[in-house]
Amino acid sequence: MEKKKLTIHLKVWRQKDADSKGKFVSYTVNDVNPDMSFLEMLDVLNEELIKKDEEPIEFDNDCREGICGMCGSVINGTAHGPQSGMTTCDVRMRMFKDGETIVVEPFRARAFPVIKDLAVDRSALDRIMSKGGYTSVRTGGVPEALSLPVPKPNADEAMDMAACIGCGACVAACPNASAALFVGAKVSHLALLPQGRPEAARRVERMVAQMDEEGFGACSNHGECEAVCPKEISITAIGRMRREYLRAMFK
Amino acid sequence: MRFKMILASSLSKKIYMSIAGLVWSAFLLVHLLGNLQLLNPDRDPFNKYSYFLTHQTGEFIYLAEFLLAFFLITHFLYAIWVQIGNWRARPQGYSMVRWAKNTSKRSLGSVTMIYTGALVLIFLVLHLIHFKYGEVVYYTPKGYTYQIRDMYFTVMEFFRNPVNVFFYVAVMVLLGFHLSHGAWSAFQSLGLSGKRFTPFIYTIGVLFAIVVAVGFVFLPLWIYFTRGGAL
Ligand code: HEM
Ligand code: SF4
Ligand code: FES
């Protein structure tokens, strides 16, 4: 059965580059297939814009299946759109009503300067990673499977933490533009595993210092991050980061 | 860890705020329990308690006052510092914000902390002026050979005025909002969190806020309606 096509009104944030002032521009997209993804709808709009010789809307994306962490916009006031546990590329047009106006804004934070339109520069997160989101290299052959026992609960929790794709939605949703959930996930992931323990104190200290350096806010425990995180990473990650930090304080 | 980081990192700031906030929360509970003696029609127990605290605990009272002042100032200064940093972290705000609900703990209390806190601070200064440094009346309790301050009388007089009652009730409601987020948040800021512990402490925090706010709202109203003001 043919599904009813939607008419969608958009208010999209257009900004030439980091230094110019941006503004909202309204567009209407007709005949939107409800099974389209949100980004496909933007593709359709961009094709129309190109045909009319206008600048297409710039937005980040890559895998379009919720695993790479490249996409990210604030859709109708919520990072990654209205449903929890999703990336922007997971958003489907059937989640909107026919004739609805959708407001699309970039992730906003001092640490995430706009590159163009909806694309923002999230390299601040990479610089935090470079301060300790790794274990120092160990050379040699592949170790014997059971030579380094990891308790099953730790392995599970470390895996949950490792699910972070570095999309930055936690920063975007946080009233303080804090990166605590991202850093919490990275610190927790390695702190839970024996391979990460030796450098745990140094890691949390350096990553937190870099996080502050980048101009992210402090965590006020509002918990918006957890609610928008596409990987549903719990704020207990932030709790663990703080425990690791307290340990490091007394070192 | 470097000294500067221990004092000034985003995580440290919240650690000190939470310790100071918890000390004050504990004090509020003790203060409320002590004040329940105002419900007693006999003025002696409340006045003797007040006299005991101020005159019979030796140096302890000075230590306690110093610590409370110290923690309040710490909490206040870090609050301003944290809040300014948080505002600066997003120079251009969103034109549309829709709270994510789901598991989010964002609430009216959590987004107004700096305002409820600031009003509580103004209140605390006035509160000291009203009572600690307020009108001093002496009397001799039954069985005493010397005079002590009749604090009970000062309180009863103060709450005959409906304006005072309204002001106290209003600020105590705001304090309730501050604690509705603050109490559990302090534990989370100290890293005391977990899959089972977090929902537990969140509930306890909200209950604590309700008990403190309802208690402090009830006292002035009760005095007003049973001891004169409204009669
Ligand atoms: C009776 C007095 C007060 C009590 C019992 C109290 C209690 C608390 C508690 C327990 C927290 C949570 C701390 C944390 O999560 O680390 C908190 C947070 C906060 N308090 Fe207070 N507080 C009081 C007075 C004040 C004052 C005078 C201010 C000054 C403006 C203030 C401003 C704040 C702010 C802004 C926060 C949130 C900080 C953040 O997470 O970003 N409070 N308070
Ligand atoms: S914690 Fe969640 S919201 Fe934040 S960067 Fe990682 S995946 Fe994205
Ligand atoms: S495009 Fe890869 S997660 Fe959305």
Side-chain angles (χ1 to χ4, degrees), chain A residues 108 110 174 212 224 226 245, chain B residues 9-10 12 89-90 103-104:
Chain A
R108 297 193 192 278
R110 183 153 65 104
C174 175
D212 290 351
E224 284 284 286
E226 174 183 305
Y245 179 85
Chain B
S9 87
S10 57
S12 292
R90 179 168 293 132
T103 59
S104 177

Side-chain angles (χ1 to χ4, degrees), chain A residues 183-196:
Chain A
V183 181
K186 298 306 176 190
V187 165
S188 300
H189 164 212
L190 294 174
L192 280 157
L193 297 172
Q195 295 91 331

Side-chain angles (χ1 to χ4, degrees), chain A residues 125 163-171 181-182 185 225 228-231 233:
Chain A
L125 299 184
C164 167
I165 52 178
C167 63
C170 42
V171 177
L181 190 64
F182 169 79
C225 50
V228 300
C229 173
K231 301 301 155 188
I233 291 174

Side-chain angles (χ1 to χ4, degrees), chain A residues 13 15 24 74 76-78 84 103 105-111 171-177 204-206 208-209 211-212 215-224 226-228 232 234-236 238-243 245-246 248-249 251, chain B residues 1-2 5-16 82-83 85-107 110-113 181 184-196 198:
Chain A
W13 185 261
Q15 183 170 341
F24 282 103
V74 172
N76 273 347
T78 312
S84 286
V103 180
E105 289 180 79
F107 284 178
R108 297 193 192 278
R110 183 153 65 104
V171 177
C174 175
N176 309 336
V204 69
E205 179 175 349
R206 283 162 50 99
V208 168
M211 168 174 87
D212 290 351
F216 291 105
C219 172
S220 292
N221 306 323
H222 294 291
E224 284 284 286
E226 174 183 305
V228 300
E232 303 183 303
S234 155
I235 52 169
T236 52
I238 302 177
R240 186 178 296 280
M241 166 176 70
R242 284 166 170 154
R243 292 201 292 281
Y245 179 85
L246 277 165
M249 253 168 114
K251 274 221 158 144
Chain B
M1 196 177 280
R2 288 197 327 276
M5 188 155 176
I6 291 183
L7 275 183
S9 87
S10 57
L11 266 59
S12 292
K13 287 178 197 158
K14 286 301 305 288
I15 288 170
Y16 304 130
V82 166
Q83 190 60 56
N86 291 350
W87 279 327
R88 287 190 52 206
R90 179 168 293 132
Q92 162 122 44
Y94 292 105
S95 71
M96 181 177 184
V97 175
R98 197 179 281 173
W99 294 2
K101 300 204 189 62
N102 192 27
T103 59
S104 177
K105 295 185 168 54
R106 194 177 190 177
S107 64
S110 84
V111 296
T112 52
M113 294 300 274
H181 180 70
W184 93 273
S185 172
F187 287 86
Q188 170 78 4
S189 293
L190 287 169
L192 298 167
S193 82
K195 283 246 154 23
R196 278 184 306 275
T198 297

Side-chain angles (χ1 to χ4, degrees), chain A residues 61-64 66-71 87 89:
Chain A
N61 70 105
D62 192 2
C63 70
R64 296 208 177 186
I67 54 169
C68 76
M70 251 335 258
C71 61
T87 54
C89 60

Side-chain angles (χ1 to χ4, degrees), chain A residues 1 20 56 63 69 76 82 126 140 153 159 164 166 169 178 185 200 217 225 229 250:
Chain A
M1 193 184 70
S20 14
C63 70
N76 273 347
D126 301 337
M159 192 64 193
C164 167
S178 164
C225 50
C229 173
F250 295 104

Side-chain angles (χ1 to χ4, degrees), chain B:
Chain B
M1 196 177 280
R2 288 197 327 276
F3 191 59
K4 178 165 172 273
M5 188 155 176
I6 291 183
L7 275 183
S9 87
S10 57
L11 266 59
S12 292
K13 287 178 197 158
K14 286 301 305 288
I15 288 170
Y16 304 130
M17 281 192 76
S18 59
I19 296 170
L22 285 179
V23 168
W24 266 83
S25 301
F27 167 72
L28 289 179
L29 196 61
V30 175
H31 192 25
L32 176 63
L33 292 176
N35 284 3
L36 289 181
Q37 296 174 84
L38 288 164
L39 300 178
N40 190 339
D42 179 4
R43 67 184 55 203
D44 288 357
F46 179 78
N47 284 331
K48 285 180 188 164
Y49 163 73
S50 162
Y51 186 76
F52 167 74
L53 287 182
T54 48
H55 292 82
Q56 293 168 329
T57 47
E59 307 297 306
F60 171 80
I61 189 67
Y62 297 108
L63 178 68
E65 283 178 350
F66 170 79
L67 285 178
L68 283 175
F70 172 78
F71 281 120
L72 186 67
I73 292 167
T74 305
H75 189 82
F76 168 71
L77 292 180
Y78 271 113
I80 305 270
W81 194 3
V82 166
Q83 190 60 56
I84 289 176
N86 291 350
W87 279 327
R88 287 190 52 206
R90 179 168 293 132
Q92 162 122 44
Y94 292 105
S95 71
M96 181 177 184
V97 175
R98 197 179 281 173
W99 294 2
K101 300 204 189 62
N102 192 27
T103 59
S104 177
K105 295 185 168 54
R106 194 177 190 177
S107 64
L108 187 58
S110 84
V111 296
T112 52
M113 294 300 274
I114 190 71
Y115 309 110
T116 49
L119 288 167
V120 166
L121 184 67
I122 296 171
F123 167 85
L124 287 175
V125 175
L126 292 173
H127 183 57
L128 289 180
I129 296 174
H130 292 151
F131 295 118
K132 188 170 165 61
Y133 302 107
E135 189 191 4
V136 181
V137 181
Y138 288 101
Y139 85 121
T140 312
K142 279 183 291 297
Y144 272 43
T145 52
Y146 52 93
Q147 289 200 317
I148 66 170
R149 184 175 176 189
D150 191 353
M151 193 56 149
Y152 190 92
F153 171 79
T154 310
V155 175
M156 295 299 155
E157 275 301 300
F158 184 80
F159 287 122
R160 289 174 73 93
N161 183 344
V163 176
N164 293 341
V165 174
F166 177 79
F167 175 62
Y168 270 59
V169 167
V171 175
M172 289 305 107
V173 171
L174 297 179
L175 176 68
F177 276 102
H178 198 81
L179 292 174
S180 71
H181 180 70
W184 93 273
S185 172
F187 287 86
Q188 170 78 4
S189 293
L190 287 169
L192 298 167
S193 82
K195 283 246 154 23
R196 278 184 306 275
F197 183 73
T198 297
F200 165 76
I201 199 70
Y202 187 80
T203 312
I204 296 288
V206 173
L207 288 178
F208 176 77
I210 293 174
V211 166
V212 170
V214 167
F216 281 123
V217 162
F218 169 72
L219 281 171
L221 285 178
W222 187 84
I223 294 170
Y224 182 72
F225 286 108
T226 64
R227 298 298 171 85
L231 300 178

